[in-house]
Amino acid sequence: MIINTQLFNYRLIIGTLVIAIVILGSFSYFNYKTVKENQVFIEQEKYLVESELSEMISSYENLDVKSEYLAKQLEETKSKILIILDSVKQLKANVSLISKYRAQLKELRKENAQLLALTDNLEAENTSLKLQAKEVEEDLTNSKTYVSTLKTKNKTLVENNLDLKENLEKAKQLNITNIVAKGVKRVTSSSRIVNTKNFKKTNKFHVCFTLVNNEFLKKGDLDIYFQVLDSKMNVVADKGTINYGKTSLIYSAKETINYNNQDIDVCTLIDKGAESLTKGSYFISIFHQGKKLGGTTIYLK
């Protein structure tokens, strides 16, 4: 059998080429599949980085920070995250960039954790301060209430004290009763008093009263002043003027009585003086230390 060597060589070459093409095709397919899988992985990593960055931004936006310094720090970190997020979105991702962004993301996580921890601490301190402020406010309110109560009690005590003082002053006042006044025609040698109601015959006024017992009064001499006014309010038998601070009294007679904290009956004769009396009413008042103790009226016809 005769073998054609040239034909055999062609077949060998063709077979070798076919095998090479198959091997090359298989390698290309495998390489394409690997590249495709890597691209999908990189896209997923890019998406994860974007999502995490977006969540970090959202977490900053939901924070209500009172501290001006901390708010500034959060705003700077937020701006930094936004710049990185824009870069991730705009650039075509590859393994090198993803690694770079992952590294930046790791640093941002640390910074974020520190800021959030600081925020929590500040919020806790703020809450504690609010509670303390509330307690202080309650204490202040209670103190104000207590002070107000004390003021009310003090006001009541002052009023009671004033009442007591006023009552004591009233209790220490001299009181008289049983005031009687009559016109006198003459006094006999036996000291008998002859009364009259005729103005022409009246030469004196006879005034009697009872000085009431008062244990709050100090024992000793008391100056009693009498004032007699006619119907025209002229002082009868003017004996002078006695002053008491801003007030003064024109009196018709004076009597000094030794007071011993017992009821004392007092009588005195008041000379009409050189004046001529007229028909009408006469008003007789009794004074001590500028205060009127009482009075009475008689009518001379």
Side-chain angles (χ1 to χ4, degrees):
M1 181 178 180
I2 300 173
I3 300 173
N4 191 336
T5 305
Q6 189 176 5
L7 181 62
F8 177 77
N9 288 336
Y10 284 145
R11 289 177 177 175
L12 182 61
I13 291 169
I14 292 170
T16 300
L17 288 172
V18 169
I19 292 170
I21 290 169
V22 170
I23 292 171
L24 196 61
S26 298
F27 177 76
S28 297
Y29 173 76
F30 178 76
N31 188 46
Y32 169 77
K33 185 177 180 182
T34 301
V35 170
K36 191 68 175 176
E37 288 176 351
N38 285 340
Q39 187 64 34
V40 171
F41 173 75
I42 289 171
E43 290 295 331
Q44 287 177 344
E45 286 294 301
K46 178 184 177 183
Y47 175 75
L48 290 174
V49 171
E50 289 179 2
S51 297
E52 192 165 350
L53 290 171
S54 296
E55 287 178 5
M56 290 175 69
I57 292 171
S58 296
S59 68
Y60 284 5
E61 289 176 348
N62 294 328
L63 287 176
D64 183 18
V65 180
K66 306 298 182 184
S67 170
E68 185 176 343
Y69 169 77
L70 188 56
K72 185 178 179 182
Q73 292 292 104
L74 289 171
E75 191 62 33
E76 289 177 358
T77 303
K78 181 180 174 183
S79 299
K80 191 186 299 182
I81 296 172
L82 284 170
I83 292 171
I84 296 173
L85 180 59
D86 288 340
S87 299
V88 173
K89 286 181 177 179
Q90 292 175 10
L91 296 176
K92 186 174 181 180
N94 55 50
V95 176
S96 175
L97 285 175
I98 289 298
S99 298
K100 175 185 174 183
Y101 291 138
R102 278 291 184 188
Q104 290 181 343
L105 188 57
K106 184 178 180 181
E107 292 299 321
L108 284 173
R109 284 198 199 100
K110 287 183 181 179
E111 189 174 339
N112 184 51
Q114 292 174 351
L115 285 173
L116 292 178
L118 184 57
T119 302
D120 291 339
N121 289 337
L122 287 175
E123 286 298 321
E125 289 179 5
N126 188 45
T127 301
S128 177
L129 287 173
K130 284 182 178 179
L131 289 174
Q132 292 178 17
K134 185 177 180 181
E135 290 176 358
V136 170
E137 185 178 356
E138 289 176 353
D139 290 341
L140 183 60
T141 301
N142 292 334
S143 296
K144 287 181 178 178
T145 303
Y146 181 66
V147 170
S148 177
T149 303
L150 285 179
K151 284 183 177 179
T152 302
K153 288 182 178 179
N154 185 58
K155 183 180 179 182
T156 303
L157 287 173
V158 170
E159 290 175 352
N160 291 339
N161 187 49
L162 289 174
D163 290 340
L164 288 172
K165 189 175 180 180
E166 184 178 351
N167 291 335
L168 183 59
E169 289 299 319
K170 288 180 179 178
K172 290 169 66 176
Q173 288 181 5
L174 197 62
N175 292 308
I176 62 174
T177 186
N178 302 325
I179 305 171
V180 178
K182 293 181 180 180
V184 177
K185 181 178 180 181
R186 69 178 184 277
V187 179
T188 66
S189 57
S190 61
S191 299
R192 184 172 68 87
I193 297 174
V194 179
N195 297 321
T196 182
K197 293 183 180 180
N198 190 301
F199 74 93
K200 291 182 179 180
K201 296 179 181 181
T202 300
N203 295 302
K204 300 178 184 292
F205 294 94
H206 187 214
V207 182
C208 294
F209 62 90
T210 300
L211 197 57
V212 180
N213 168 37
N214 189 341
E215 60 184 9
F216 293 103
L217 283 177
K218 188 177 179 180
K219 293 181 179 180
D221 291 339
L222 300 177
D223 290 332
I224 305 297
Y225 291 88
F226 301 84
Q227 184 189 67
V228 181
L229 299 176
D230 61 18
S231 58
K232 296 181 180 180
M233 297 295 110
N234 297 314
V235 178
V236 177
D238 185 350
K239 294 294 189 298
T241 302
I242 183 74
N243 296 312
Y244 298 98
K246 295 181 179 180
T247 62
S248 60
L249 172 70
I250 301 173
Y251 63 95
S252 304
K254 173 186 174 183
E255 192 79 36
T256 300
I257 302 168
N258 184 258
Y259 184 71
N260 57 5
N261 297 117
Q262 295 179 351
D263 287 351
I264 300 175
D265 291 328
V266 180
C267 287
T268 189
L269 287 170
I270 303 172
D271 195 343
K272 74 176 183 67
E275 298 95 338
S276 297
L277 300 181
T278 59
K279 180 180 178 181
S281 297
Y282 288 82
F283 307 96
I284 302 170
S285 300
I286 303 167
F287 294 87
H288 172 65
Q289 293 183 343
K291 295 180 181 179
K292 184 177 178 179
L293 301 180
T296 187
T297 304
I298 62 172
Y299 183 78
L300 298 178
K301 57 183 179 180

